Amino acid sequence: MKSISVKQLVQEFKLEVLAGGDELDRTIKKARTHRPGLEFIGYFDFFPMERVQILGKKEINFLKQQNIEERKERIDHVVSYHPPCFIVTSNQEGLTYLTKFCQEENIPLLRTADTAVDFIAKVDNYLTRKLATEIAVHGVCLNVFGIGVLIRGESGVGKSELAHTLIGRGHRLVSDDIVILKKVSHKTILGTHNDINREFLALRSVGLLNVVRMYGRKAFQDESRISLDIELTKWEKDALNNDLEPKTDYEEYMGVQVPRIEIQLQPGRDVAGLVEAAANNWYLQQQGYKASTEFMERVQWEEGDD
């Protein structure tokens, strides 16, 4: 199971360490955070103790309203489950009692200036990406007109050269050669790099290029949701699909189906243009428009006039 350390969370969000500074190597394995509300009044039947615990103004004010014994009992109940860490939001102060318990139990107590709502949104998104199930595939990932496209094909078929042409047309590279696919929900796959190949594009006969150094920041994007899977294949005579609306094929990654298009290669074909057309056509279909439907309506209208 994937995990990150509390220290990584501290560094990413520049959190202030109030207690448990020696325990920042504790691991976080769950993507979503939790606000312990019911737990402070003694209900623990569904307490997700393995999650990061967020203490907003409601939780802290509730604890401050308790007398010393009640406060001790309520905090002790939650702390005894040893969650990865506690994070207090809105730079709240007067946390002597909470600091004491966390120090005694060696649990990191952290603080942020963000409000609970804002911080939870940011940290949940961060943890979802960091802890997502992932696989590595051979291919190239680009963002074309704002749409994530995964381009696959046999080694040497021209994936990187196609990517270079698309970058020249103003589109963005995400990853070349090795693409990391992350499943962030039951229907969403993100494509990204493996850090080592970040910003790099390898072209046969030319060598390794840093697209940011050559073409500027606009030539690279850190990640993109994969909406289209395009496979480059060798030309086969009489094998192209000339239907007005070809049957949609899908490629499955970690249980998520992605629309798949096959583009056959032949000298003279504008493959980059075909990728752009496929991306634009996919977008229009998501808006409810199909060119084939409009075409058939025109044909029927003409026949009706006859």
Side-chain angles (χ1 to χ4, degrees):
M1 179 180 292
K2 295 179 66 177
S3 66
I4 68 167
S5 68
V6 173
K7 184 177 182 179
Q8 287 176 266
L9 204 63
V10 170
Q11 294 173 340
E12 177 69 21
F13 295 98
K14 297 179 174 55
L15 302 176
E16 180 184 0
V17 180
L18 302 178
D22 294 333
E23 297 294 324
L24 297 184
D25 289 333
R26 293 168 67 97
T27 58
I28 301 169
K29 298 180 180 180
K30 294 295 182 179
R32 296 184 60 189
T33 56
H34 177 69
R35 295 182 71 171
L38 292 174
E39 291 77 19
F40 279 138
I41 60 175
Y43 186 78
F44 288 89
D45 285 5
F46 301 98
F47 179 40
M49 58 185 175
E50 69 281 6
R51 295 182 181 175
V52 172
Q53 306 296 312
I54 306 295
L55 303 177
K57 288 184 176 181
K58 288 191 300 184
E59 292 78 18
I60 296 300
N61 286 338
F62 172 77
L63 292 174
K64 286 181 177 180
Q65 291 172 8
Q66 310 303 304
N67 61 44
I68 295 177
E69 288 302 316
E70 289 175 332
R71 184 186 304 160
K72 180 181 182 302
E73 181 180 1
R74 298 184 192 285
I75 295 175
D76 189 46
H77 280 164
V78 176
V79 171
S80 64
Y81 280 87
H82 285 257
C85 64
F86 290 95
I87 302 178
V88 177
T89 62
S90 302
N91 266 347
Q92 296 179 84
E93 299 181 344
L95 307 174
T96 304
Y97 52 96
L98 190 57
T99 303
K100 176 178 178 294
F101 276 92
C102 288
Q103 199 71 52
E104 290 175 353
E105 296 293 331
N106 295 317
I107 300 175
L109 175 63
L110 315 170
R111 183 163 60 186
T112 176
D114 290 338
T115 65
V117 172
D118 290 344
F119 184 73
I120 288 172
K122 290 193 295 186
V123 77
D124 278 356
N125 182 59
Y126 171 78
L127 291 175
T128 295
R129 282 164 165 72
K130 283 292 185 180
L131 302 178
T133 302
E134 65 181 44
I135 58 173
V137 299
H138 177 63
V140 179
C141 183
L142 298 111
N143 185 279
V144 179
F145 296 130
I147 296 165
V149 178
L150 177 63
I151 299 174
R152 298 181 297 107
E154 294 181 1
S155 182
V157 77
K159 300 182 295 295
S160 297
E161 289 83 354
L162 172 58
H164 184 258
T165 300
L166 288 166
I167 291 169
R169 294 189 181 192
H171 306 296
R172 297 179 176 182
L173 175 71
V174 175
S175 183
D176 178 44
D177 191 35
I178 298 175
V179 181
I180 305 300
L181 300 181
K182 295 187 175 187
K183 180 181 179 180
V184 296
S185 79
H186 69 283
K187 59 180 181 180
T188 303
I189 296 289
L190 287 182
T192 188
H193 49 81
N194 65 358
D195 289 329
I196 295 174
N197 66 347
R198 174 189 172 95
E199 302 176 357
F200 287 117
L201 181 68
L203 297 179
R204 294 174 187 270
S205 303
V206 176
L208 201 61
L209 308 180
N210 185 310
V211 298
V212 172
R213 293 292 184 94
M214 292 188 70
Y215 304 112
R217 292 300 313 170
K218 64 180 178 61
F220 175 77
Q221 183 167 313
D222 200 56
E223 63 182 21
S224 186
R225 176 178 178 175
I226 302 299
S227 298
L228 277 178
D229 179 275
I230 295 179
E231 184 174 8
L232 304 182
T233 61
K234 294 180 180 179
W235 179 268
E236 294 182 19
K237 188 177 180 181
D238 300 325
L240 290 182
N241 192 322
N242 291 316
D243 293 341
L244 294 180
E245 186 178 347
K247 179 182 176 181
T248 303
D249 289 328
Y250 294 91
E251 191 73 25
E252 187 172 300
Y253 298 103
M254 296 173 286
V256 179
Q257 290 192 324
V258 179
R260 174 186 173 275
I261 296 174
E262 178 183 341
I263 296 180
Q264 293 189 13
L265 303 177
Q266 187 184 49
R269 292 199 86 191
D270 181 10
V271 181
L274 291 174
V275 172
E276 291 177 326
N280 276 328
N281 196 46
W282 176 89
Y283 175 79
L284 289 174
Q285 289 176 353
Q286 304 313 299
Q287 308 307 307
Y289 173 81
K290 290 187 177 180
S292 60
T293 300
E294 182 180 358
F295 179 80
M296 292 306 300
E297 288 174 352
R298 292 184 185 182
V299 170
Q300 292 169 5
W301 183 80
E302 288 290 338
E303 290 176 348
D305 279 355
D306 292 340

